[in-house]
Amino acid sequence: MLVTGGAGFIGSHACVELLDHGYEVIVVDDYANSTPHVFARVERIAGRFVGAVYELDLRDRRALSAVFDRHSVDAVMHFAALKSVSGSLEAPVEYYDTNVGGTTALLRTMHEHGVHRLVFSSSGAVYGDAGPGLLDESAPVRPANPYAASKWLCEQILADVCRRRPEYTVLCMRYFNPAGAHPSGLLGEDPHGVPGNLVPYVAQVAVGRRERLHIFGGDYPTPDGTAIRDYIHVMDTVEAHRVALDHLSDGPGMRVFNIGLGQGSSVLDVVAVFSETCGVQVPYDIVPRRPGDVAHVVADASAVTLAWGWRPARNLADICRDAWRFQQLNPRGYAGAGRGPDSKR
Ligand code: UFG
């Protein structure tokens, strides 16, 4: 199994899940928002080694091709991408180039090596500002920022590939807001610099690394005025990916699934549940809206349950508790973490 972006937040948890279930795991990552230190922890949790790790940018097709030459890859989990909404507004070309160009380079390399099975990391962000109510997979797609548009473009490319070439099977996972951490506290979300996402920011305020949370917008058309999202535990997210692998042989073509909890939580809900579950205060200020944000994005995630019998097992309190455990055990994230005696790299 080749995992792109395997050092990242979701990718590293996916590596543990795959190793736990007996898969041979090969990783490529450029460490743009991650660190190789994470693999010692992945291996410690799983009690197994990652097969190989390559530092490369997917757009470097020669280097990527060499990985496919060296290993017998039967399927790919493609997480590698830039994911900040505001970052994408500041640097749209970089976002399209990395996310779309990375995906086309991967597809060309897969094609050259006869690999036709892919689990793609898409996003609930593709739906854009849909208003209240649950979004099923047939809801209109209206990306509200270049990040979301880049994921939608990748989906369209993948759909075209599947239409043209019947040997391809692509499972497109539109996940909503993955957050939380591995229950061991060894793995979690440790972005470079100031976190752009809500839960890691809240955790860094709670641990004293940042002073106050800035809540972007208190004037949304929601019950408490703050924006509503569907937070899904990262462990549930990666379990869904592992279950997806069992369904790569169900038949060719592309299928799209929402991966969410199906419950909306406002920013203030997240702050309240975090404070209550973890017993810490999270001081905050309400500031103007963040450009590119929308009011309400919540999944109707019933299709994946119907198709595969899988449903998430964890809630927002579990997300907060696990994110807090990771933050307390790693107040400075992975910074300074050693590779550990059990890493072979
Ligand atoms: N928010 C704040 N303060 C912060 C950070 C976020 O108020 O410091 C608010 C945002 O304005 C938004 C909500 O918290 O209303 C969630 O924001 P995130 O940045 O955590 O997540 P997004 O909804 O913007 O989603 C993006 C992508 C998803 C991706 C998710 C997690 O659209 O695809 O980040 O990476 F899954």
Side-chain angles (χ1 to χ4, degrees):
M1 172 67 46
L2 178 68
V3 180
T4 76
F9 172 46
I10 304 173
S12 59
H13 289 76
C15 288
V16 170
E17 178 74 9
L18 292 170
L19 290 170
D20 278 350
H21 286 80
Y23 288 91
E24 185 72 15
V25 175
I26 308 299
V27 171
V28 297
D29 203 302
D30 69 353
Y31 306 125
N33 194 26
S34 60
T35 162
H37 291 319
V38 77
F39 294 113
R41 293 169 177 227
V42 165
E43 291 168 345
R44 193 168 142 198
I45 296 168
R48 288 182 60 206
F49 287 122
V50 174
V53 177
Y54 297 93
E55 179 174 358
L56 60 83
D57 185 318
L58 291 178
R59 292 166 294 180
D60 181 351
R61 285 179 48 213
R62 185 180 296 224
L64 185 59
S65 193
V67 174
F68 278 76
D69 285 339
R70 209 162 301 144
H71 301 275
S72 111
V73 176
D74 61 346
V76 180
M77 268 192 194
H78 177 30
F79 296 103
L82 297 173
K83 65 157 192 174
S84 155
V85 167
S86 42
S88 77
L89 289 162
E90 276 159 32
V93 176
E94 193 188 344
Y95 268 68
Y96 287 116
D97 198 16
T98 305
N99 294 1
V100 182
T103 300
T104 53
L106 174 66
L107 284 168
R108 292 179 74 150
T109 311
M110 286 173 62
H111 183 70
E112 283 159 14
H113 291 80
V115 179
H116 304 126
R117 304 189 322 150
L118 177 72
V119 182
F120 176 63
S121 173
S122 187
S123 172
V126 298
Y127 297 114
D129 209 349
L134 303 184
L135 296 159
D136 68 23
E137 291 81 352
S138 66
V141 165
R142 300 190 196 94
N145 52 67
Y147 160 73
S150 74
K151 289 290 179 180
W152 174 233
L153 278 170
C154 290
E155 283 201 21
Q156 290 173 282
I157 293 166
L158 292 167
D160 283 340
V161 169
C162 288
R163 265 191 288 273
R164 175 79 182 84
R165 301 205 167 263
E167 63 272 31
Y168 277 82
T169 307
V170 175
L171 297 174
C172 202
M173 317 289 270
R174 285 183 184 163
Y175 30 81
F176 282 62
N177 287 63
H182 190 274
S184 64
L186 286 170
L187 280 189
E189 192 164 8
D190 182 33
H192 292 178
V194 180
N197 295 122
L198 179 63
V199 174
Y201 202 108
V202 166
Q204 290 194 10
V205 171
V207 85
R209 195 165 146 189
R210 311 211 173 265
E211 219 169 288
R212 303 173 79 76
L213 171 68
H214 305 292
I215 295 183
F216 301 132
D219 58 349
Y220 282 106
T222 60
D224 65 19
T226 65
I228 292 179
R229 296 289 183 276
D230 184 344
Y231 296 90
I232 175 149
H233 200 294
V234 65
M235 297 303 294
D236 282 325
T237 310
V238 300
E239 273 175 30
H241 282 72
R242 193 251 311 152
V243 171
L245 296 181
D246 299 337
H247 293 275
L248 275 174
S249 2
D250 287 357
M254 170 153 140
R255 272 161 295 157
V256 178
F257 290 109
N258 286 344
I259 304 296
L261 202 56
Q263 285 167 24
S265 305
S266 71
V267 179
L268 284 172
D269 289 336
V270 173
V271 171
V273 171
F274 194 99
S275 301
E276 197 177 307
T277 312
C278 309
V280 278
Q281 288 310 304
V282 180
Y284 64 82
D285 296 313
I286 297 188
V287 301
R289 294 181 184 190
R290 181 170 69 175
D293 271 353
V294 298
H296 188 279
V297 191
V298 182
D300 173 341
S302 57
V304 69
T305 307
L306 209 63
W308 298 343
W310 177 86
R311 56 164 54 84
R314 301 159 182 88
N315 63 17
L316 182 58
D318 298 320
I319 289 173
C320 293
R321 190 198 54 236
D322 290 338
W324 180 227
R325 184 183 298 115
F326 173 75
Q327 194 66 66
Q328 279 182 299
L329 290 173
N330 307 274
R332 294 192 312 116
Y334 297 124
R339 285 185 162 304
D342 50 357
S343 173
K344 66 179 178 181
R345 277 172 304 282

